[in-house]
Amino acid sequence: MERTRIHRTRRLRGTLIALTAASGLLLTGCGGAGDSGQSSKADGRQNSGGGSGYAPAPAPAQSNSSGEQQDGARSEGEQDGTEGDFAPPPDYLSTFALDVDTASYGYARRTLADGRRPDPSTIRPEEFVNSFRQDYERPHGNGFSVTVDGARTDRENWSLVRVGLATRTAEQDGERPPAALTFVIDISGSMAEPGRLDLAKDSLGVMTDRLRDDDSVAIVTFSDEAETVLPMTRLDDNRDRVHDAIDELEPTDSTNLGAGVRTGYATAVKGLREGATNRVVLVSDALANTGDTEANSILDRISDARREHGITLFGVGVGSDYGDALMEQLADKGDGNTTYVANESDARKVFSEQLPRNIDLTARDAKAQVAFDPETVAEFRLIGYDNRRVADDDFRDDRVDGGEVGPGHTVTALYAVRTRQSASGHLATATVRWLDPETREPHEKSGQLESGSLHESLWDAPSRLQVAAVAAYFADALRKGDDQWTTLPDAPALSELAEKADKLAEKTEDEAIRRLAEAIDQARRYED
């Protein structure tokens, strides 16, 4: 999905600070109508519960392209006087589209388990962070709760700030609408490798038994050409027919992914169900080598189906060799999300838990904007979300795409923040904006953080905040070697990070964190 960046120069820094400070005041207590604001948590977090409150957020302002604000100075490495231009003045806003993808972390784990270091270009820190369960409060209806907390690191004046957004649990709001799912399955020769098509077939079979009678399924296959092997079929008394179609899938020939996606969307449009969630599910190693091989070209051909009918794309990546960049771009431009499955356990979780959760939507075009207080914050950097940045001016422009989010999701954004020496008071206000999935009416919700609420030590902070930090530091370490990324403040060595993950796994009794500790330990062998 294309997101424009708009850069406007402010005339006076003093005017900017005044406007931003005023925005912070406007946001103080901006729960919605009938919502009196945020409640303080004992652990220092500040939370604003869900609902459909519409409230003002920071006035849009300029953000530089790196996402790192430098307190009036040029960014490190920035050239002086290029064509007479000066470095843009700093602002204290950060705006991004929400992202619930996890494929980058899953593929990194698979690569490490295979004895290789992941390519730094495949590492997206937000997908590492969002791979782990968080303990945010849940709203009662559609939309989000907003939680903002953080902790100081051992590097002077540097903290990690966590912005947490959560949707309702699926069980709290009755039954989901019926689903019309078109599975586009890669049966090219590369899918013959164990852990690819065999995984997909097994998992699709399990999922077919768990979907409801009023759900519908279509199956499209592609290799050098694409074919609809099962038109949109109501499950009801047809589960055997669906199972037979899955069982007959066999790998062959090359990978014309473009043809598969085009045929998949055509099949989805033909079988469109009003009142249902219509979605294309792409299962592939994304190693396109025939026909269209570029995300823009592939998605442009089916743009009408996406825009007119709201058919979104859910990408499921498989295989030790995996076209991560292409799959991520397809899901991004297809208003959907991606995940990666490395083994049978992953696959069953995706198709039996994550996919049903992604059938329903609680928010469309969701974006977040964080306003840092210039009186207390000297500089900050959003960790990850590099492909999800949105121009600050576009926060309230509902024509600009955001992220689609379903029930049971949490979205976490971490910031590295340097506070001013001895500064105290208001630190940041985070606002999420989304459209109602049915009416497309806009809503907003906010949460705030005071500097005095920061935990004094990151490694004494609540466990789930520590988990988010470990995941971010791990992604940061795997990006080593790519000079475009600045190391996070107070980054532990991988050996220390593995120990912290081990302790957190023991404390939380969470197997997902145990697997994180194992992956970090595997990565230690690749340290220079």
PDB file of all heavy atoms in Angstrom, residues 51-75:
ATOM      1  N   GLY A  51     -13.385   1.649  22.930  1.00  0.00           N
ATOM      2  CA  GLY A  51     -14.626   2.357  22.695  1.00  0.00           C
ATOM      3  C   GLY A  51     -14.536   3.117  21.403  1.00  0.00           C
ATOM      4  O   GLY A  51     -13.625   2.972  20.633  1.00  0.00           O
ATOM      5  N   SER A  52     -15.491   3.971  21.187  1.00  0.00           N
ATOM      6  CA  SER A  52     -15.531   4.670  19.910  1.00  0.00           C
ATOM      7  C   SER A  52     -15.374   6.159  20.095  1.00  0.00           C
ATOM      8  O   SER A  52     -15.953   6.954  19.384  1.00  0.00           O
ATOM      9  CB  SER A  52     -16.842   4.357  19.195  1.00  0.00           C
ATOM     10  OG  SER A  52     -17.928   4.719  19.998  1.00  0.00           O
ATOM     11  N   GLY A  53     -14.588   6.586  21.074  1.00  0.00           N
ATOM     12  CA  GLY A  53     -14.417   8.012  21.304  1.00  0.00           C
ATOM     13  C   GLY A  53     -13.718   8.689  20.150  1.00  0.00           C
ATOM     14  O   GLY A  53     -12.778   8.173  19.587  1.00  0.00           O
ATOM     15  N   TYR A  54     -14.175   9.875  19.792  1.00  0.00           N
ATOM     16  CA  TYR A  54     -13.520  10.677  18.757  1.00  0.00           C
ATOM     17  C   TYR A  54     -12.948  11.893  19.433  1.00  0.00           C
ATOM     18  O   TYR A  54     -13.660  12.638  20.091  1.00  0.00           O
ATOM     19  CB  TYR A  54     -14.535  11.080  17.691  1.00  0.00           C
ATOM     20  CG  TYR A  54     -13.909  11.838  16.552  1.00  0.00           C
ATOM     21  CD1 TYR A  54     -13.472  11.171  15.417  1.00  0.00           C
ATOM     22  CD2 TYR A  54     -13.733  13.210  16.630  1.00  0.00           C
ATOM     23  CE1 TYR A  54     -12.892  11.868  14.378  1.00  0.00           C
ATOM     24  CE2 TYR A  54     -13.147  13.906  15.596  1.00  0.00           C
ATOM     25  CZ  TYR A  54     -12.735  13.236  14.478  1.00  0.00           C
ATOM     26  OH  TYR A  54     -12.149  13.912  13.460  1.00  0.00           O
ATOM     27  N   ALA A  55     -11.632  12.068  19.331  1.00  0.00           N
ATOM     28  CA  ALA A  55     -10.999  13.135  20.084  1.00  0.00           C
ATOM     29  C   ALA A  55      -9.868  13.734  19.283  1.00  0.00           C
ATOM     30  O   ALA A  55      -9.329  13.111  18.385  1.00  0.00           O
ATOM     31  CB  ALA A  55     -10.456  12.574  21.408  1.00  0.00           C
ATOM     32  N   PRO A  56      -9.478  14.964  19.592  1.00  0.00           N
ATOM     33  CA  PRO A  56      -8.395  15.596  18.842  1.00  0.00           C
ATOM     34  C   PRO A  56      -7.065  14.941  19.116  1.00  0.00           C
ATOM     35  O   PRO A  56      -6.830  14.427  20.190  1.00  0.00           O
ATOM     36  CB  PRO A  56      -8.415  17.044  19.349  1.00  0.00           C
ATOM     37  CG  PRO A  56      -9.048  16.963  20.697  1.00  0.00           C
ATOM     38  CD  PRO A  56     -10.034  15.844  20.623  1.00  0.00           C
ATOM     39  N   ALA A  57      -6.198  14.942  18.124  1.00  0.00           N
ATOM     40  CA  ALA A  57      -4.835  14.430  18.256  1.00  0.00           C
ATOM     41  C   ALA A  57      -3.884  15.541  17.870  1.00  0.00           C
ATOM     42  O   ALA A  57      -4.307  16.619  17.485  1.00  0.00           O
ATOM     43  CB  ALA A  57      -4.658  13.203  17.380  1.00  0.00           C
ATOM     44  N   PRO A  58      -2.583  15.309  17.935  1.00  0.00           N
ATOM     45  CA  PRO A  58      -1.629  16.366  17.610  1.00  0.00           C
ATOM     46  C   PRO A  58      -1.852  16.930  16.219  1.00  0.00           C
ATOM     47  O   PRO A  58      -2.168  16.203  15.284  1.00  0.00           O
ATOM     48  CB  PRO A  58      -0.278  15.653  17.703  1.00  0.00           C
ATOM     49  CG  PRO A  58      -0.529  14.501  18.601  1.00  0.00           C
ATOM     50  CD  PRO A  58      -1.940  14.083  18.355  1.00  0.00           C
ATOM     51  N   ALA A  59      -1.677  18.244  16.081  1.00  0.00           N
ATOM     52  CA  ALA A  59      -1.741  18.838  14.754  1.00  0.00           C
ATOM     53  C   ALA A  59      -0.644  18.237  13.899  1.00  0.00           C
ATOM     54  O   ALA A  59       0.484  18.077  14.351  1.00  0.00           O
ATOM     55  CB  ALA A  59      -1.559  20.353  14.857  1.00  0.00           C
ATOM     56  N   PRO A  60      -0.939  17.886  12.635  1.00  0.00           N
ATOM     57  CA  PRO A  60       0.084  17.272  11.787  1.00  0.00           C
ATOM     58  C   PRO A  60       1.299  18.174  11.659  1.00  0.00           C
ATOM     59  O   PRO A  60       1.196  19.386  11.578  1.00  0.00           O
ATOM     60  CB  PRO A  60      -0.622  17.107  10.442  1.00  0.00           C
ATOM     61  CG  PRO A  60      -2.078  17.050  10.787  1.00  0.00           C
ATOM     62  CD  PRO A  60      -2.224  17.969  11.958  1.00  0.00           C
ATOM     63  N   ALA A  61       2.454  17.543  11.646  1.00  0.00           N
ATOM     64  CA  ALA A  61       3.704  18.293  11.543  1.00  0.00           C
ATOM     65  C   ALA A  61       4.689  17.498  10.724  1.00  0.00           C
ATOM     66  O   ALA A  61       4.503  16.329  10.438  1.00  0.00           O
ATOM     67  CB  ALA A  61       4.275  18.585  12.933  1.00  0.00           C
ATOM     68  N   GLN A  62       5.775  18.144  10.356  1.00  0.00           N
ATOM     69  CA  GLN A  62       6.805  17.538   9.515  1.00  0.00           C
ATOM     70  C   GLN A  62       7.588  16.477  10.263  1.00  0.00           C
ATOM     71  O   GLN A  62       7.933  16.641  11.413  1.00  0.00           O
ATOM     72  CB  GLN A  62       7.741  18.669   9.049  1.00  0.00           C
ATOM     73  CG  GLN A  62       9.163  18.260   8.785  1.00  0.00           C
ATOM     74  CD  GLN A  62       9.275  17.489   7.511  1.00  0.00           C
ATOM     75  OE1 GLN A  62       8.358  17.501   6.720  1.00  0.00           O
ATOM     76  NE2 GLN A  62      10.359  16.821   7.311  1.00  0.00           N
ATOM     77  N   SER A  63       7.858  15.346   9.599  1.00  0.00           N
ATOM     78  CA  SER A  63       8.780  14.359  10.164  1.00  0.00           C
ATOM     79  C   SER A  63       9.842  14.071   9.126  1.00  0.00           C
ATOM     80  O   SER A  63       9.560  13.983   7.941  1.00  0.00           O
ATOM     81  CB  SER A  63       8.054  13.054  10.517  1.00  0.00           C
ATOM     82  OG  SER A  63       7.617  12.419   9.376  1.00  0.00           O
ATOM     83  N   ASN A  64      11.106  13.931   9.602  1.00  0.00           N
ATOM     84  CA  ASN A  64      12.143  13.628   8.615  1.00  0.00           C
ATOM     85  C   ASN A  64      12.082  12.162   8.234  1.00  0.00           C
ATOM     86  O   ASN A  64      11.428  11.365   8.870  1.00  0.00           O
ATOM     87  CB  ASN A  64      13.535  14.045   9.126  1.00  0.00           C
ATOM     88  CG  ASN A  64      14.032  13.225  10.296  1.00  0.00           C
ATOM     89  OD1 ASN A  64      13.678  12.057  10.413  1.00  0.00           O
ATOM     90  ND2 ASN A  64      14.826  13.824  11.151  1.00  0.00           N
ATOM     91  N   SER A  65      12.741  11.815   7.161  1.00  0.00           N
ATOM     92  CA  SER A  65      12.552  10.492   6.572  1.00  0.00           C
ATOM     93  C   SER A  65      13.126   9.374   7.411  1.00  0.00           C
ATOM     94  O   SER A  65      12.764   8.232   7.256  1.00  0.00           O
ATOM     95  CB  SER A  65      13.179  10.461   5.172  1.00  0.00           C
ATOM     96  OG  SER A  65      14.565  10.726   5.247  1.00  0.00           O
ATOM     97  N   SER A  66      14.058   9.681   8.303  1.00  0.00           N
ATOM     98  CA  SER A  66      14.657   8.610   9.096  1.00  0.00           C
ATOM     99  C   SER A  66      13.810   8.230  10.281  1.00  0.00           C
ATOM    100  O   SER A  66      13.992   7.186  10.877  1.00  0.00           O
ATOM    101  CB  SER A  66      16.034   9.046   9.609  1.00  0.00           C
ATOM    102  OG  SER A  66      15.876  10.055  10.585  1.00  0.00           O
ATOM    103  N   GLY A  67      12.871   9.117  10.673  1.00  0.00           N
ATOM    104  CA  GLY A  67      12.084   8.850  11.867  1.00  0.00           C
ATOM    105  C   GLY A  67      12.844   9.162  13.129  1.00  0.00           C
ATOM    106  O   GLY A  67      12.374   8.923  14.219  1.00  0.00           O
ATOM    107  N   GLU A  68      14.035   9.712  13.025  1.00  0.00           N
ATOM    108  CA  GLU A  68      14.840  10.007  14.208  1.00  0.00           C
ATOM    109  C   GLU A  68      14.983  11.516  14.329  1.00  0.00           C
ATOM    110  O   GLU A  68      15.461  12.190  13.421  1.00  0.00           O
ATOM    111  CB  GLU A  68      16.219   9.368  14.076  1.00  0.00           C
ATOM    112  CG  GLU A  68      17.046   9.516  15.356  1.00  0.00           C
ATOM    113  CD  GLU A  68      18.261   8.625  15.316  1.00  0.00           C
ATOM    114  OE1 GLU A  68      18.572   8.097  14.255  1.00  0.00           O
ATOM    115  OE2 GLU A  68      18.898   8.457  16.359  1.00  0.00           O
ATOM    116  N   GLN A  69      14.513  12.052  15.440  1.00  0.00           N
ATOM    117  CA  GLN A  69      14.520  13.497  15.620  1.00  0.00           C
ATOM    118  C   GLN A  69      15.762  13.892  16.415  1.00  0.00           C
ATOM    119  O   GLN A  69      16.117  13.261  17.391  1.00  0.00           O
ATOM    120  CB  GLN A  69      13.247  13.947  16.349  1.00  0.00           C
ATOM    121  CG  GLN A  69      11.973  13.221  15.911  1.00  0.00           C
ATOM    122  CD  GLN A  69      11.753  13.267  14.425  1.00  0.00           C
ATOM    123  OE1 GLN A  69      12.155  14.215  13.762  1.00  0.00           O
ATOM    124  NE2 GLN A  69      11.117  12.246  13.886  1.00  0.00           N
ATOM    125  N   GLN A  70      16.400  15.008  16.006  1.00  0.00           N
ATOM    126  CA  GLN A  70      17.740  15.276  16.516  1.00  0.00           C
ATOM    127  C   GLN A  70      17.875  16.630  17.217  1.00  0.00           C
ATOM    128  O   GLN A  70      18.907  17.258  17.182  1.00  0.00           O
ATOM    129  CB  GLN A  70      18.738  15.212  15.358  1.00  0.00           C
ATOM    130  CG  GLN A  70      18.815  13.837  14.719  1.00  0.00           C
ATOM    131  CD  GLN A  70      19.973  13.027  15.221  1.00  0.00           C
ATOM    132  OE1 GLN A  70      20.919  13.561  15.789  1.00  0.00           O
ATOM    133  NE2 GLN A  70      19.916  11.737  15.039  1.00  0.00           N
ATOM    134  N   ASP A  71      16.791  17.121  17.822  1.00  0.00           N
ATOM    135  CA  ASP A  71      16.865  18.307  18.668  1.00  0.00           C
ATOM    136  C   ASP A  71      17.506  19.492  17.967  1.00  0.00           C
ATOM    137  O   ASP A  71      18.367  20.179  18.502  1.00  0.00           O
ATOM    138  CB  ASP A  71      17.649  17.970  19.959  1.00  0.00           C
ATOM    139  CG  ASP A  71      17.438  19.037  21.027  1.00  0.00           C
ATOM    140  OD1 ASP A  71      16.413  19.737  20.942  1.00  0.00           O
ATOM    141  OD2 ASP A  71      18.299  19.168  21.912  1.00  0.00           O
ATOM    142  N   GLY A  72      17.127  19.715  16.713  1.00  0.00           N
ATOM    143  CA  GLY A  72      17.596  20.892  15.997  1.00  0.00           C
ATOM    144  C   GLY A  72      18.886  20.700  15.243  1.00  0.00           C
ATOM    145  O   GLY A  72      19.261  21.517  14.424  1.00  0.00           O
ATOM    146  N   ALA A  73      19.616  19.649  15.507  1.00  0.00           N
ATOM    147  CA  ALA A  73      20.886  19.400  14.820  1.00  0.00           C
ATOM    148  C   ALA A  73      20.635  18.532  13.596  1.00  0.00           C
ATOM    149  O   ALA A  73      19.635  17.863  13.476  1.00  0.00           O
ATOM    150  CB  ALA A  73      21.862  18.702  15.749  1.00  0.00           C
ATOM    151  N   ARG A  74      21.576  18.526  12.670  1.00  0.00           N
ATOM    152  CA  ARG A  74      21.482  17.619  11.539  1.00  0.00           C
ATOM    153  C   ARG A  74      21.688  16.184  12.007  1.00  0.00           C
ATOM    154  O   ARG A  74      22.452  15.933  12.924  1.00  0.00           O
ATOM    155  CB  ARG A  74      22.535  17.974  10.476  1.00  0.00           C
ATOM    156  CG  ARG A  74      22.227  19.279   9.748  1.00  0.00           C
ATOM    157  CD  ARG A  74      23.309  19.552   8.715  1.00  0.00           C
ATOM    158  NE  ARG A  74      22.970  20.711   7.909  1.00  0.00           N
ATOM    159  CZ  ARG A  74      23.196  21.963   8.303  1.00  0.00           C
ATOM    160  NH1 ARG A  74      23.728  22.207   9.483  1.00  0.00           N
ATOM    161  NH2 ARG A  74      22.861  22.974   7.517  1.00  0.00           N
ATOM    162  N   SER A  75      21.011  15.275  11.310  1.00  0.00           N
ATOM    163  CA  SER A  75      21.203  13.868  11.631  1.00  0.00           C
ATOM    164  C   SER A  75      22.638  13.474  11.355  1.00  0.00           C
ATOM    165  O   SER A  75      23.296  14.015  10.467  1.00  0.00           O
ATOM    166  CB  SER A  75      20.273  13.005  10.767  1.00  0.00           C
ATOM    167  OG  SER A  75      18.936  13.356  11.000  1.00  0.00           O
TER     168      SER A  75
END
